[in-house]
Amino acid sequence: MNSMTGYGKAVVTKEGRELCVELKSVNHRFLDISTKIPRMFISCEDVIRSGLSKGLSRGHVDVYLNYTVTDVVPKTIEVDFALAEGYLNAAASLKERFGITNDFSLTALMRTQDVLQVKQEEESEEILRQMLSEGIDKAVEALNVMRKAEGKKLVDDISARIDNIEGLLAKIKQAAPVVVSEYRAKLQQRMAEVLEGVEVDEAKFLNEVAFFTDKCNIDEEITRLDTHIAHARKLLGSDEPIGRKLDFLIQEFNREANTICSKSNNAQLTDIALTLKNEIEKIREQVQNLE
């Protein structure tokens, strides 16, 4: 299981060319790719996207390319004969018109703007795509090494917090029955104080206790939290990307904790439930970084 945060770098050399590929990733709901690349690689963006999609499922990824030519690149010189002829004709016309010596030499003609143009051999798109594909694969591999290390830290932290939640749930299980017995005792005491020796209608009394018991009953919430804990541990033991699934599951954790808080009529139980919510919130923050 990987984190969505990491950095990967790869350098590929081929036939006097060097390509440096750098990848930087942060958390994102989907696989979102941003490229900062030289113009010559714009036609190769499909190579970048397909390469990243093979190794990554989620995260915002910035792609940086730095391309250099390490060998001497063959160059050719092209002559614009039409332009050269034009300059020569112009020189002859100036001589005839003004009667001056024509000292327009070959060297001067070669230095004249745009007569000679140096052309560099165009880059082979096939070689660029091969280098880019290899560079992306190696950079993704390096990126995932870091993401895996970060992911293990996240999983260890989440697992520890799941253990804390299980411990808090055990305390809730112990405290929940006490709520009803305390309410029963307090209700009896208040009725005795108010009625001052008048016989209490036992049926009405038991009905009131039963109503309160039903209102504050959290057995279903406890059962669902037990199920969620088991499910969370199963997900954490998986090698597949589980960020989205765990994110949804944590929402269910939070829903049950909120219900327990709303049903609580006991200070101790409320305090435990609030601590439970705090642990769930910390897990939710960590889950945002899981792939």
Side-chain angles (χ1 to χ4, degrees), residues 168 172 256-262 264 267-280:
L168 291 168
I172 289 174
E256 305 306 333
N258 284 334
T259 303
I260 291 174
C261 284
S262 66
S264 174
Q268 180 188 5
L269 185 58
T270 299
D271 185 61
I272 298 171
L274 290 175
T275 304
L276 177 67
K277 281 177 59 65
N278 186 54
E279 287 294 314
I280 293 170

Side-chain angles (χ1 to χ4, degrees), residues 66 100 152 182 185-186 264:
N66 185 30
I100 57 178
K152 185 179 184 306
E182 285 184 352
K186 289 179 180 179
S264 174

Side-chain angles (χ1 to χ4, degrees), residues 138-157:
K138 289 181 177 179
V140 168
E141 185 178 350
L143 174 65
N144 278 336
V145 168
M146 180 177 287
R147 284 163 59 116
K148 186 173 183 178
E150 291 295 320
K152 185 179 184 306
K153 293 178 183 178
L154 290 175
V155 169
D156 290 344
D157 182 77

Side-chain angles (χ1 to χ4, degrees), residues 24 45 65 68 108 145 158 186 204 240 253 269 286-287:
K24 181 182 178 183
E45 285 200 18
L65 302 183
T68 55
V145 168
I158 293 172
K186 289 179 180 179
K204 289 184 178 181
E240 299 296 322
F253 267 91
L269 185 58
Q286 298 288 49
V287 165

